[in-house]
Amino acid sequence: HMRTEQLTGTKSSIQFRNWTVEHGPTQWDERDVWTEIDDYLKINDVRAAAGLLRHYLEYISAELCHRLRAPVEFRGDAQYQLGELLPAAISRLRKLYGKAKDAENSWGHKDQVEYIAAREATFAILADASKAEQCQLNAAVHYNSWVDLGKGDFEPLVKTFRNLLTGFTCSDPNCSEYLRVSPDRQTSECLRCECGKTNINLLKGSPHAPPS
């Protein structure tokens, strides 16, 4: 959370996947998550790979909901599950794209509407693919049928979710930061990344104003 909020001011920030009284913090380097999952699959430990994937998706889905200001039913114990967080983030981004198209249409910015529509269409494909894989992920994590899944069964699922997360990022490969709604309270004005190269307007123009 500190890294995504740019609170550290350094590239040496770390993430904790867990923290217990007995063992203290367990470090989680986001860059190595996918490598660690691949390592589990190399030894055909699908159960471990599925558990790690689910835990990471729960973490990153919470961050996405925060950044996109996605509505999630409040829980006093803060024990949110993947099935509550990831669909909320997906739904929110889709609605933001719809709102952005309406906004740019109101300004007469057809090029921007086409750009947003292209992003929206790409994201829809990624989201639909991940939804088709959800039941298999749940089965693996909840010990229902993980023994029936091998490396070849699980690798496409990992790729599907990894691709899905790219749909929430800046289109510039040199940035790849997750998008966020700005400001973080009150009226949403834009959907942008930290570098500013992706900056999508969410505010409609006056109905009496000429196209700019």
Side-chain angles (χ1 to χ4, degrees), residues 90 108 168 199 203 207:
I90 291 172
F168 289 93
N199 195 327
L203 296 178

Side-chain angles (χ1 to χ4, degrees), residues 16 35 65 74 111 122 125 146 159 161 166 180 186 189:
F16 297 146
T35 300
C65 285
F74 176 76
D111 289 346
T122 299
I125 294 173
W146 66 269
K159 183 178 180 180
F161 280 102
T166 65
R180 70 179 307 134
Q186 300 180 341
E189 297 178 359

Side-chain angles (χ1 to χ4, degrees), residues 24-138:
T26 302
Q27 182 176 337
W28 196 350
D29 186 341
E30 181 182 6
R31 180 185 59 189
D32 295 331
V33 168
W34 304 108
T35 300
E36 189 173 348
I37 291 173
D38 288 341
D39 287 342
Y40 281 129
L41 292 178
K42 287 177 182 177
I43 59 175
N44 207 34
D45 192 347
V46 177
R47 183 186 184 190
L52 179 55
L53 177 60
R54 184 179 180 88
H55 293 157
Y56 178 67
L57 289 174
E58 286 177 343
Y59 155 73
I60 204 64
S61 295
E63 289 295 324
L64 291 171
C65 285
H66 169 70
R67 296 174 72 85
L68 298 176
R69 296 172 55 179
V72 180
E73 184 174 343
F74 176 76
R75 290 187 58 89
D77 60 5
Q79 297 300 307
Y80 297 101
Q81 298 180 354
L82 180 60
E84 299 168 311
L85 297 170
L86 186 55
I90 291 172
S91 176
R92 174 61 170 164
L93 185 56
R94 282 177 155 170
K95 289 180 179 178
L96 286 170
Y97 281 141
K99 184 175 182 179
K101 287 190 299 182
D102 290 342
E104 294 297 358
N105 269 319
S106 73
W107 290 103
H109 296 165
K110 293 184 178 180
D111 289 346
Q112 275 297 100
V113 173
E114 292 176 358
Y115 164 72
I116 297 166
R119 285 193 63 113
E120 181 182 36
T122 299
F123 182 72
I125 294 173
L126 298 175
D128 290 343
S130 71
K131 186 163 55 179
E133 301 287 356
Q134 282 278 4
C135 60
Q136 193 174 26
L137 176 68
N138 289 332

Side-chain angles (χ1 to χ4, degrees), residues 144-155:
N144 294 324
S145 60
W146 66 269
V147 291
D148 297 326
L149 299 178
K151 175 183 176 182
D153 301 310
F154 204 76
E155 281 181 329

